[in-house]
Amino acid sequence: DQQVKQNSPSLSVQEGRISILNCDYTNSMFDYFLWYKKYPAEGPTFLISISSIKDKNEDGRFTVFLNKSAKHLSLHIVPSQPGDSAVYFCAASATGNTPLVFGKGTRLSVIA
Amino acid sequence: DTGVSQDPRHKITKRGQNVTFRCDPISEHNRLYWYRQTLGQGPEFLTYFQNEAQLEKSRLLSDRFSAERPKGSFSTLEIQRTEQGDSAMYLCASSSRTSGRATGANVLTFGAGSRLTVL
């Protein structure tokens, strides 16, 4: 049973436009949601997070939106840059130090 | 802060052999996690430690897998009698109570991983 789902395996966006990556979850106990970025031959790198008491968190070009009633979150990158091309993983955890549960990832390609 | 180090980066072995991976976490992090990632999948949780105590193990961690963190610093993951299905990237991550930054999330810092190929 996949608790965190990223239904789009890949996404292609032109440089300068907005990239929107989506994530759905099934476990209502999840309280924290994170996005990680992964380049080839490297480990995942933390990007941005949000707690369930918020519906939006912004950090520079990256904004995460959470719709708790729909169990859905999205990552917006604007403007997209070629260096953003990577695999993006959505992850979630319940309160405390419980391990993160990851989705399968979405490969973003930003075309110059 | 040198980040999370993993060794070796690549390991090729024959089926039936034992392999061991080492992870050195960020020094002030008391939590250490092992994940496995296969092609087209996200990282899958295997086990985690708080200091030297192993607090949780996934169903993915069969009897052939054992992890230790003897002094609450580095950790080892051993796979005995390897099978071709064990071929994967083994990722180590660490965190601390203050890794949550502004949101309180448990932010894990990952190493580059150890890639295992079982022939």
Side-chain angles (χ1 to χ4, degrees):
Chain A
D1 63 331
Q2 208 177 352
Q3 300 183 70
V4 177
K5 300 176 185 178
Q6 294 177 258
N7 292 320
S8 298
S10 63
L11 175 67
S12 210
V13 171
Q14 275 197 314
E15 181 179 6
R17 308 294 288 263
I18 185 171
S19 296
I20 300 177
L21 296 98
N22 294 303
C23 177
D24 297 291
Y25 63 96
T26 59
N27 189 340
S28 56
M29 298 297 291
F30 288 147
D31 275 336
Y32 296 96
F33 305 89
L34 301 85
W35 285 93
Y36 279 79
K37 179 170 71 174
K38 187 179 184 305
Y39 293 119
E42 295 182 12
T45 303
F46 171 72
L47 203 53
I48 192 169
S49 62
I50 189 168
S51 75
S52 60
I53 62 172
K54 303 281 189 183
D55 55 17
K56 176 182 173 182
N57 188 28
E58 192 171 350
D59 184 0
R61 296 186 297 114
F62 303 92
T63 303
V64 56
F65 295 93
L66 175 63
N67 183 334
K68 203 173 175 186
S69 61
K71 293 192 175 70
H72 176 85
L73 62 153
S74 59
L75 174 68
H76 292 211
I77 307 172
V78 57
S80 301
Q81 300 172 353
D84 296 330
S85 297
V87 178
Y88 288 79
F89 291 101
C90 173
S93 73
T95 304
N97 62 359
T98 54
L100 299 181
V101 178
F102 284 83
K104 290 187 176 184
T106 296
R107 180 178 300 278
L108 173 66
S109 299
V110 179
I111 304 161
Chain B
D1 178 1
T2 57
V4 178
S5 300
Q6 292 190 244
D7 184 70
R9 292 292 309 276
H10 304 275
K11 178 72 176 178
I12 300 174
T13 191
K14 292 183 179 178
R15 189 177 54 185
Q17 298 294 304
N18 299 345
V19 295
T20 300
F21 301 114
R22 176 181 169 121
C23 172
D24 288 89
I26 292 172
S27 56
E28 60 266 29
H29 285 183
N30 64 338
R31 299 173 195 158
L32 186 147
Y33 302 80
W34 285 99
Y35 281 79
R36 180 178 73 183
Q37 186 178 14
T38 53
L39 198 61
Q41 302 294 318
E44 297 172 294
F45 169 72
L46 293 178
T47 187
Y48 97 95
F49 295 82
Q50 181 156 305
N51 301 313
E52 64 274 10
Q54 189 172 19
L55 295 188
E56 190 173 338
K57 292 196 284 187
S58 159
R59 290 172 297 173
L60 292 175
L61 211 67
S62 76
D63 291 345
R64 296 184 298 105
F65 288 69
S66 64
E68 292 183 345
R69 194 183 183 198
K71 296 181 180 178
S73 56
F74 73 92
S75 175
T76 57
L77 177 68
E78 181 183 16
I79 309 174
Q80 295 182 327
R81 305 181 303 282
T82 52
E83 301 173 356
Q84 288 183 323
D86 297 331
S87 296
M89 175 74 82
Y90 289 85
L91 293 163
C92 177
S94 66
S95 73
S96 70
R97 190 167 51 84
T98 58
S99 296
R101 309 194 187 187
T103 65
N106 183 23
V107 177
L108 273 59
T109 301
F110 282 87
S114 293
R115 180 170 295 284
L116 173 64
T117 302
V118 182
L119 302 176

